[in-house]
Amino acid sequence: MEKNQIIKLEITDLSYDALGVAHTEDGITVFVNNALPGEVVEAQILKVKKNLAFARVQNILVKSPERIEVKKNQWVQTGLASLAHLSYDAQLKFKQQQVENLLQKAHLTDVTVKETLPSPQITGYRNKAEVPVRQINGKLEIGFFRKHSHDMVPLENFFTTDAKIDQILVATRDILRKNHVSAYNEKSHLGAIKYLMVRVGHYTGEIMVVLVSTVKNFPQLPQVISEIEQLPNVKSVVLNYNPQKTNVILGRKDILLAGNPYITDQIGEQKFMISPQSFFQINSEQTTRLYDLAVRQADLQADDVVIDAYSGIGTIGLSVAQHVKKVIGVEVVKSAVEDSENNAALNQIDNADFALGKAEEMMPKWQEQGLSTDVVFVDPPRKGLTPEFIEATVKTGPKKVVYISCNPATLVRDLQQFQELGYKFDTIAPVDMFPMTPHVETVVLMSRVDK
Ligand code: SAH
């Protein structure tokens, strides 16, 4: 097998990152972009490694009945929506199956994986976009990187983001063009604007525009600010200073250009202030259902001490605070902790405290100081929990641990440790937070086994 060769492949599976999988007679596994299980395709080989190869579809000979015609191929190619070519029902099954496969590999066979809870919106659901800005053929463009590359495809419709965000992105692009602001060039490391980040409050309509820039100031900035400020519903304009040659989108420093340093949005009855650097669940309507599920399972009691680990701007902790004695949150991003304290005040909650620090360091410290807990919510990033965190959590004696996970692989690893330490669980509930993408979000309730 060699690069550029065209071969016929029968697709038998879909990888966790949405590539079609085929096995050749000589034992090579080929990952094929834009191919679905059950399809027979002619594919062009892009890259060959020892027992692996990557390819792209040239021609579909037998089509899957689950294939959906996608209006713009770029959505699938860029990884903005790499599952958009699969019917929504099949996407939901795929996500459930992912979790089942991982459980099976870990020999956790008596755990049931529920059907994936569908998202109320399956396109236009994202309340945040972060898009690269580059110069293409002499023009400043916004778009998205092709999968596994920094080759930017210009786009105006980002498909999974709220249409209000797309409008602001395009309008901001036009303001930058009109004022001859330069776009960043990755090779020369010249040019000002690297990314645009736009957030919308799903229930308030408030908009935040963040210009991610290699410089703190440029001659056209005052004019650019005054034009962005006049776009509908813009409540916050921020310059994020990111001079580093890295793939990290946001730099550490935010400079307020106009309006407030935050926007507000709602979850259920509660209001939340959100700063540029703070994490906020991106699918607002589905977040309510995710939290309802997590909270319902926790069966909270009035005298419970509750931990909200990886608390972001405090959304989970604050949504349960009025039903329990005390909430303690822990979060590593400083502005997010500040947001959570402001959000407690905004919602008249005085029994919630949020600590700044790494959960895996704070939890053992609190445990040594004698903390005793009743319910622990954890909602870590993709890398999951650490053994130290789990050990310390268990020592604080919670009767229930609710694990919200955005990566089933690390979830299953962590569940095994909880199980060894005396916790049981019988169901995993996938909740589709990211339609059209292969990302899988799940909720698991663990209960302490009392001897
Ligand atoms: N529970 C919140 C946030 C979940 S996202 C919500 O539902 O909105 C995960 C959060 O963990 C992010 O806010 C991230 O900044 C934070 N985080 C990442 N690593 C961490 C660590 N080691 N310790 C504490 N928080 C961390």
Side-chain angles (χ1 to χ4, degrees), residues 13-17 90-117 382 403-413 415-416 425-433 438-445:
D13 211 348
L14 199 56
S15 74
Y16 70 92
D17 54 355
Q91 289 181 28
L92 296 170
K93 287 209 186 79
F94 164 74
K95 294 183 183 190
Q96 180 185 17
Q97 189 73 51
Q98 289 270 310
V99 184
E100 281 169 352
N101 292 349
L102 287 161
L103 287 170
Q104 212 162 27
K105 273 192 204 149
H107 308 291
L108 291 170
T109 43
D110 47 0
V111 183
T112 313
V113 182
K114 288 202 173 167
E115 282 183 17
T116 310
L117 183 71
R382 293 186 57 79
Y403 194 142
I404 301 175
S405 158
C406 56
N407 181 354
T410 54
L411 169 76
V412 167
R413 177 199 68 197
L415 287 178
Q416 286 174 293
F425 42 90
D426 51 25
T427 32
I428 299 187
V431 176
D432 194 19
M433 297 295 280
H439 295 294
V440 184
E441 183 95 5
T442 54
V443 183
V444 185
L445 168 73

Side-chain angles (χ1 to χ4, degrees), residues 279 281 291 310-312 315-316 331-333 357-360 379 381:
F279 177 91
Q281 298 283 349
Y291 287 0
Y310 307 86
S311 50
T315 44
I316 296 177
E331 160 64 46
V332 79
V333 172
K358 292 187 173 166
E360 63 274 23
D379 186 6

Side-chain angles (χ1 to χ4, degrees), residues 21 40 102 154 183 191 253:
V21 183
V40 179
L102 287 161
K253 191 168 174 58

